[in-house]
């Protein structure tokens, strides 16, 4: 039988232990591995592997000795509880072996969990599981997790109160990060909120999201964009002491002001432009950049980008002027440009 969508997610979270087998396949090995980990953990629990209720069989070993899978399915361990036989990286060459194993399966045997790469509709391996009355086949595609998937992950981690803004931020992150990185971010969020009864907020997500630029650079760029002219020089000196080069500072400033310009010139307004930024920004930093884009406006941001382009050319030229002094002067000029 074939599983898809919400039905597949429900089975991964709460698998039916009396099923003979499950095939999980897909082009992204990480997505397939995460689903396989989820379903096996749900079947045998956290101590299942330690209690030897999980048997792993490499596809290469099974090709050499087809009897391995049948013996493992029927074997009885010392510890009570559900058992799983896991075959990794299977291909159509194992379809007959696995079909025979499923045909010989009886109540009380272990569940057969098989993972594979991309399989088309004519795949013999897919047909083996989809055509079996007591087995499932589930394709894992490159679509990002849905809001329901994210909520389920957070609830499983013990977080039940999630604000709307936090869910929006997590959904955006899910589209930008690969599955493994997103899973790590969710785990980090759960640890961050451990013991905190307050609902998960956008600020919490921002604190756990992967950083997009260095925090030290962020400080000086926000200072410039917010026209806090007296604070620019001390921050530049601190960056210089930390080894940040003038060219690196120029690149970061140009990236920041290009982002503000893109937001300010977005057809739907600055808020829509900020929401569409890639990589995404979250929490207080998002609100801060929105205020900056609205304060500067498109025309002054074009002037700012012109100043930064000229400064970058000067930094890369044969000029003998102290490079950091040139960059500092440009940043002060930018800060003064937006003074009302």
């Amino acid at each position: 039988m074939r599983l898809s969508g919400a039905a597949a997610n429900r089975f991964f979270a709460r698998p039916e232990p009396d099923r003979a087998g499950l095939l999980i396949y897909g082009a992204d090995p990480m997505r397939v591995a995460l689903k396989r980990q989820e379903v096996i953990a749900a079947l045998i629990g956290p101590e299942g592997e330690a209690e030897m209720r999980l048997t792993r069989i490499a596809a290469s070993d099974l090709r050499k000795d087809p009897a391995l899978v049948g013996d493992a399915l029927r074997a009885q361990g010392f510890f009570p509880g559900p058992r799983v036989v896991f075959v990794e990286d299977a291909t159509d060459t194992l379809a007959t072996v696995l079909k025979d194993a499923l045909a010989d399966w009886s109540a009380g045997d272990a569940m057969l969990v098989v993972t594979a790469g991309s399989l088309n509709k004519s795949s013999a391996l897919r047909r083996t599981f989809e055509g079996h009355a007591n087995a499932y086949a589930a394709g894992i595609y490159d679509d990002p997790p849905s809001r329901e998937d994210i909520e389920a992950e957070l609830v499983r981690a013990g977080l039940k109160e999630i604000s709307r803004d936090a869910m929006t931020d997590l959904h955006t992150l899910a589209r930008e990060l690969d599955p493994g990185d997103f899973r790590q971010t969710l785990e980090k969020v759960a640890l961050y909120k451990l013991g905190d009864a307050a609902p998960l907020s956008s600020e919490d997500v921002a604190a756990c999201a992967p950083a997009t630029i260095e925090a030290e650079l962020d400080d000086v760029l926000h200072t410039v964009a917010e026209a806090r002219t007296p604070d620019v020089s001390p921050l530049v000196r601190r960056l210089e002491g930390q080894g940040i080069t003038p060219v690196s500072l120029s690149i970061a400033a140009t990236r920041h002001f290009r982002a503000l310009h893109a937001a300010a010139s977005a057809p739907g307004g600055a808020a829509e432009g900020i929401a569409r930024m890639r990589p995404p920004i979250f929490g207080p930093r998002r609100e801060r950049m929105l205020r900056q884009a609205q304060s500067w406006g498109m025309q002054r941001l074009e002037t700012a980008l012109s100043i930064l382009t000229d400064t970058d050319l000067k930094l890369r030229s044969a000029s003998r002027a102290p490079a950091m002094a040139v960059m500092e002067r440009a940043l002060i000029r930018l800060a003064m440009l937006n003074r009302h």
Side-chain angles (χ1 to χ4, degrees), residues 57-133:
I57 302 176
S60 57
D61 292 338
L62 190 54
R63 278 190 284 268
K64 295 174 185 175
D65 186 358
L68 283 175
V69 65
D71 293 342
L73 288 172
R74 290 184 292 274
Q76 296 297 320
F78 294 105
F79 295 91
R83 293 175 297 109
V84 170
V85 174
F86 168 45
V87 178
E88 189 172 15
D89 295 332
T91 62
D92 280 348
T93 59
L94 289 177
T96 300
V97 173
L98 296 175
K99 185 175 182 178
D100 292 342
L102 289 173
D104 291 339
W105 187 92
S106 59
D109 288 352
M111 181 186 288
L112 175 62
V113 176
V114 179
T115 60
S118 293
L119 299 175
N120 58 34
K121 292 182 179 180
S122 62
S123 161
L125 192 57
R126 269 185 65 173
R127 292 202 306 270
T128 293
F129 282 80
E130 290 178 352
H132 195 280

Side-chain angles (χ1 to χ4, degrees), residues 182-247:
F182 183 64
R183 173 65 66 88
Q184 288 180 349
T185 300
L186 288 182
E187 291 172 353
K188 187 176 179 181
V189 167
L191 287 172
Y192 184 82
K193 292 293 288 182
L194 188 65
D196 185 353
L200 181 68
S201 67
S202 187
E203 288 76 12
D204 297 329
V205 175
C208 299
T212 55
I213 60 174
E214 295 292 335
E216 294 85 356
L217 286 174
D218 231 8
D219 288 342
V220 72
L221 299 180
H222 285 309
T223 297
V224 171
E226 292 163 0
R228 290 186 278 124
T229 310
D231 297 333
V232 173
S233 291
L235 286 172
V236 170
R237 294 284 175 271
R238 191 173 75 188
L239 287 175
E240 187 175 25
Q242 292 174 354
I244 301 296
T245 67
V247 171

Side-chain angles (χ1 to χ4, degrees), residues 31 38 47 86 95 131 163 191 216 219 231 233 252 268 292 307 321 327:
R31 294 179 192 272
E38 180 182 354
E47 300 301 322
F86 168 45
S163 72
L191 287 172
E216 294 85 356
D219 288 342
D231 297 333
S233 291
Q292 291 170 14
I307 291 171
M327 191 65 230

Side-chain angles (χ1 to χ4, degrees), residues 40-53:
I40 291 179
L43 279 165
I44 65 175
E47 300 301 322
E49 188 162 8
E51 294 175 354
M52 296 177 289
R53 290 188 285 114

